[in-house]
Amino acid sequence: MNMNQENQNGYDYKVNNPNNEQKNESENTINISNIFNKYFLRYWYLYIYTLSISLVTAYFYNWYADRVYFSSCTVLIKDDKKNVNSSDLFTQLGAFNNEGGIENEIGIIRSRMLISKTIDELQLYKSYYLIGDVKTTEIFAFKPFDLNEDTLYNLAYNASIRLEIINNNKYKLSYNKGNTEHIGYYLFNRKISNDLGIFSIEKSADFSRQPYESKNFSKRKFIIKLADKSMLTDIYQSALKAEPISKQASMLQISIQGATPSKNEAFLNRLCELYVKKGIEFKNEYAVNTLSFIEQQLGALTGEINQNEVNVEKFRVTRGITDLSIEANAYLESVKNFNGEISQLAVQSSFLDYLEDYVKSDNKNLTGNISPGSILVSDPLLQSLVLKLNELENKKKSQSNLSKEDNPLMVSLNTEIANTKASLSENIKSLKNGIGASLNEAKLQRGSVESKLRRLPGAQRELQVMLRGSNIKEQLYSYLLQKKAETAILLASTTADNRVIDTARTFVKPLKPIQSLSYSIAIILGLILPAFIIYIRTAFNDRIIDRNDLESRTNIPIIGMIGLSASKSSLVVTEKPNSHISEAFRTIRTNLQYFNQGNPKSTILVTSSISSEGKSFTSVNLACMLALSGRKTILVGCDLRKPKITIGFDFVSEIGLSNYLIGLNNEKEIIQNSGTIPNLDIILSGPKPPNPSELIISPKMDELFTYLKANYDHIILDTPPVGLITDAIVLSKHVDINIYLVRQRVTRKHHMNFINKLYNEGKLKNVCIVFNAIKASNRSYGYGYEYGYGYGYGYGYGYGYYEEDKNQKSFKSTFKKLFKRKSSKA
């Protein structure tokens, strides 16, 4: 008959049915309460311990870890893309118009040349670290000294140079060469020479602010590290970021990440300063070249003018000439004007020759370009062509750093430059023809006037010729001085197209470590790690820990759970009738009525898998509880190998079951009254026989059960472990109910396979389970109280079965000792 019933104490149990499955549908559902009790509530102290350690670890990590800060500045870029000709289809499509744009400026800012120059000027290849009591920190802005090198050897770049300041004048320097440490004492601001190189340690402005003369001052130990400039340039180039702030604005945010904010800011500010300065130098290149040309011409004219003045003075003295006649002056004035015109045309022709050579030479032998503002031929078309050629040459020079010659953009630029040069050459040729015609006409007219001058006295005419040459050179000299002033003004008024909007600044909050993230990870690990440990421990644990483990391993009904007792006596139900253990046995007594199906009499067998699971303790207390209910009860010690039921009773005889089975005594002689408990008689196991199994199956055992069932209401059999000895299976034919004991943390999970097999095969009828020796802290068992009970007994059969199960130290008690947690007793 199958039925599931629940008594007044709330326990679920099932009548045995061999066809029942091991797990029902309810067991497949997730019990949140059990998981919480299993992984959290039961091991709360472990979570406190791991959370404390993880939070402390996170605190020290946040304090000790090197911080990484984000520093940035903003630069305004002149974007030539916004000034393109809208009628040019290719320009609109952006196919050939990337020159001068933000992309190129980003490439210039991140170029190795600019970064390397910044590193050199700031001497970033030298790093200084302050050695603290726990951590070493890099210093940059407020370092007390500087290393000024003359010559450094390879060892200096591979060794950590340790420096300790002794006092205001002296320091200690040490380094390792191979396995040998070299130590030396030196004076500040004095050049030294050793295996590292030739250098000196110079005091900085911050040195005087530190009390190095005080013996209590501890911040006096430092480390100096020297880096290879090329490698350091690569590091900064990869770390430097330059990105447009938005698609609409031509502004760049230049940023870098590092552990020293002052170092980051100094690098960014100097980099931007050099970038802007480089742009100004690039624009001034044309004016500088023009100014150089004018300086050369002025130098030559100055010498010629001085020589002419000397010749005129000498001629006047030797010839005695002081003045000219009016007619001669008129002729000479005309010649003078013609000569001036001829000289100016000659200069223009010379300049056009220079410009033509410049165009034909393809700039290979020239140092720069011609500034349109300094062209000596005032022709608008010529000036516009020169301006256009300069712009194209500028764009080609900028683009050549980023593109190859076969790039479509470079091919387009070269074509446009060639076309511009062709137009410029044609214009120069036309101008030269015009100037040549004008020059011939002026010479012709001058020749006419000079023919008239020949009529003048030879000496007077020679003087005027000399004076005329001086005046022409003076006029040209004045003209060149004027052009020099104009070019100088142009040079001085040059401004950069790009400028710094915001200087470098560092965000106060570091990028790494993120304190909130560290604490979050610590809390997560503090919660996950104990759960993982518990899970692994549970996964590798092969013992029955809680009711869930028991129910997941068997379909046999559980009729009761007994707490762990701390009493030294086995008779807990009589000594402590109001205890929770006594209440547990009352519950078992009540639940047994359902298994006997209303029969007032019953024979109950108590067994287990192995020793030390509390069979005798349960048998004695269950017998006492049945006897206290007014029913005549007898407890039979059927364990002939290891008698235990004498504990708690004062018997005058050792005669027992073994004596009866061999025929030495009859039924009445082996039955003894408990003496202290009414309605309870006991049959001891008797002397240990050499053949207990044969005695158990003898006919005398059948006769004994016939007698006992006729004279007693309840018969309790304390038997050996069913997992080790077959005695319990043999005796089961005489019993109505089989109680199988499972002890917490003693019974192994695989032990349940054997009883399940017996149960499913029907070899044990009417089987139920009692969960024994439960600790009060395991709340998932239905106990919310602190028992503090513990068994005062424990035995082994001596057969060698599971002797290691004794005196097990629990995992939980180990951590409880950390918190000095004391268990209370009932």
Side-chain angles (χ1 to χ4, degrees), residues 341-372:
E341 183 180 356
I342 291 171
S343 298
Q344 187 172 2
L345 291 172
V347 171
Q348 292 180 359
S349 179
S350 175
F351 181 82
L352 289 175
D353 291 336
Y354 166 80
L355 190 59
E356 187 176 28
D357 293 337
Y358 171 83
V359 173
K360 291 180 179 180
S361 64
D362 199 24
N363 283 350
K364 292 181 179 180
N365 300 321
L366 299 175
T367 58
N369 300 329
I370 299 301
S371 173

Side-chain angles (χ1 to χ4, degrees), residues 75 80 103 212 350 357 382 420 476 514 578 604 637 693 760 826:
V75 176
D80 290 342
E103 295 83 355
Y212 291 116
S350 175
D357 293 337
L382 178 65
T420 303
L476 183 57
I514 304 175
N578 296 323
I604 303 172
S693 296
N760 293 330

Side-chain angles (χ1 to χ4, degrees), residues 137 284 330 412 438 506 518 527 535 566 617 630 706 718 807:
T137 307
N284 284 340
S412 175
S438 299
T506 301
S518 300
L527 295 175
Y535 173 79
F617 175 84
T706 302
D718 179 24
N807 300 325

Side-chain angles (χ1 to χ4, degrees), residues 620 643-651 654 682 684-685:
V620 169
K644 290 294 293 183
I645 60 174
T646 57
I647 297 176
F649 300 99
D650 186 16
F651 296 115
E654 289 296 327
I682 298 176
L684 300 178
S685 300

Side-chain angles (χ1 to χ4, degrees), residues 149-316:
E149 71 274 16
D150 187 353
T151 302
L152 292 177
Y153 305 143
N154 290 333
L155 180 62
Y157 296 95
N158 300 321
S160 293
I161 306 171
R162 299 176 294 277
L163 187 146
E164 181 180 356
I165 299 176
I166 306 300
N167 51 44
N168 289 338
N169 299 315
K170 190 176 182 181
Y171 64 91
K172 172 186 174 183
L173 191 72
S174 61
Y175 58 91
N176 291 335
K177 184 179 181 181
N179 297 326
T180 305
E181 182 181 14
H182 295 264
I183 300 175
Y185 293 86
Y186 307 96
L187 297 177
F188 285 106
N189 304 331
R190 297 285 184 88
K191 187 173 291 187
I192 63 175
S193 177
N194 53 26
D195 296 328
L196 300 174
I198 302 173
F199 58 93
S200 63
I201 302 297
E202 306 286 340
K203 296 180 182 179
S204 66
D206 191 62
F207 188 93
S208 59
R209 302 189 185 101
Q210 309 299 331
Y212 291 116
E213 292 293 339
S214 174
K215 295 182 179 180
N216 297 326
F217 188 68
S218 59
K219 296 180 180 180
R220 57 178 71 243
K221 294 182 179 180
F222 302 88
I223 293 178
I224 305 174
K225 292 184 178 180
L226 301 173
D228 180 73
K229 294 181 182 179
S230 179
M231 294 180 60
L232 189 63
T233 301
D234 292 336
I235 294 173
Y236 272 94
Q237 189 177 32
S238 62
L240 185 66
K241 305 296 181 184
E243 300 173 337
I245 293 179
S246 65
K247 293 183 178 180
Q248 293 76 21
S250 59
M251 298 178 66
L252 290 179
Q253 182 187 52
I254 306 173
S255 62
I256 195 171
Q257 298 178 14
T260 310
S262 58
K263 191 175 185 178
N264 297 343
E265 294 174 3
F267 172 78
L268 291 177
N269 288 332
R270 184 60 59 88
L271 180 73
C272 293
E273 179 183 335
L274 292 177
Y275 168 67
V276 174
K277 184 178 178 181
K278 190 68 177 177
I280 296 175
E281 291 177 354
F282 191 68
K283 291 182 66 177
N284 284 340
E285 183 179 354
Y286 313 119
V288 169
N289 292 331
T290 303
L291 194 61
S292 176
F293 172 76
I294 294 175
E295 289 284 358
Q296 293 176 1
Q297 297 297 320
L298 287 174
L301 286 175
T302 301
E304 293 178 2
I305 291 172
N306 292 335
Q307 185 61 41
N308 284 339
E309 290 179 351
V310 172
N311 293 338
V312 169
E313 183 179 359
K314 184 178 179 181
F315 185 82
R316 284 179 180 274

